[in-house]
Amino acid sequence: MAQSVFQTFRMRRLAVCLLLVGALSPLADARDPYARGEKSFGPKVGYVTRNSSAAAGLVFEYSFSRHVRIAPQASIIFRHRNLDALMIDVDVHFPLPFAGDRMAVYPLVGVDFTSWNLYGLDPEANKDVSSHRNRFGGNAGFGYEFKCTPTLKLNAEARYTLMKTYPGALVSAGISYVF
């Protein structure tokens, strides 16, 4: 109990520090950083709860307006517990900028396609019994981003994917080049 209270306190303290850093930092650029047509591209790494494994991938973002952008991404989920996957997502973010447009929080919704590989070996027949499952699902979650410079941003994201047989959460962090 005491450990979870301590972890909650640490997370709150980290969130307050991030908010203060963003609020006190000067504006990165005079132009609107969330303008229509802004694009970004970069890697993401994270943790998947379905098989308690790491994930890595690439994400591209395109802003249709100040408050709507599309974010397709492709990731691999590394093998653990005889399970790995290829995951392709198309999410829509709804950024809500603050702190002089240096930071934003965003809810997200989207669709997911995941191709799961299940590995197995039949010890009696000494035969590979691996199988493959393709699943579609829906994503819902939220994220936080911090624009370090006009061309570099950091983000953290948490989302839940609801799908038949293989639901799970993904928590990730990334860095993107903005152009």
Side-chain angles (χ1 to χ4, degrees), residues 113-125:
F113 171 78
T114 305
S115 181
W116 291 98
N117 297 307
L118 302 117
Y119 297 93
L121 183 65
D122 183 0
E124 294 175 11

Side-chain angles (χ1 to χ4, degrees), residues 61-155:
E61 296 175 350
Y62 178 82
S63 295
F64 290 108
S65 71
R66 181 172 174 79
H67 296 291
V68 178
R69 72 174 168 224
I70 190 166
Q73 65 182 11
S75 304
I76 56 169
I77 299 172
F78 294 98
R79 187 189 305 185
H80 187 245
R81 298 182 183 160
N82 293 324
L83 189 64
D84 67 11
L86 169 67
M87 183 170 49
I88 299 171
D89 297 292
V90 178
D91 295 328
V92 178
H93 298 175
F94 303 97
L96 304 166
F98 62 96
D101 289 341
R102 291 284 307 248
M103 291 188 265
V105 294
Y106 56 90
L108 68 90
V109 294
V111 294
D112 171 83
F113 171 78
T114 305
S115 181
W116 291 98
N117 297 307
L118 302 117
Y119 297 93
L121 183 65
D122 183 0
E124 294 175 11
N126 197 19
K127 187 166 113 179
D128 182 15
V129 291
S130 297
S131 63
H132 192 76
R133 301 277 192 278
N134 295 326
R135 297 284 188 254
F136 285 96
N139 295 328
F142 62 91
Y144 167 82
E145 67 185 22
F146 175 70
K147 292 209 175 194
C148 302
T149 69
T151 59
L152 181 71
K153 72 178 175 179
L154 304 172
N155 72 339

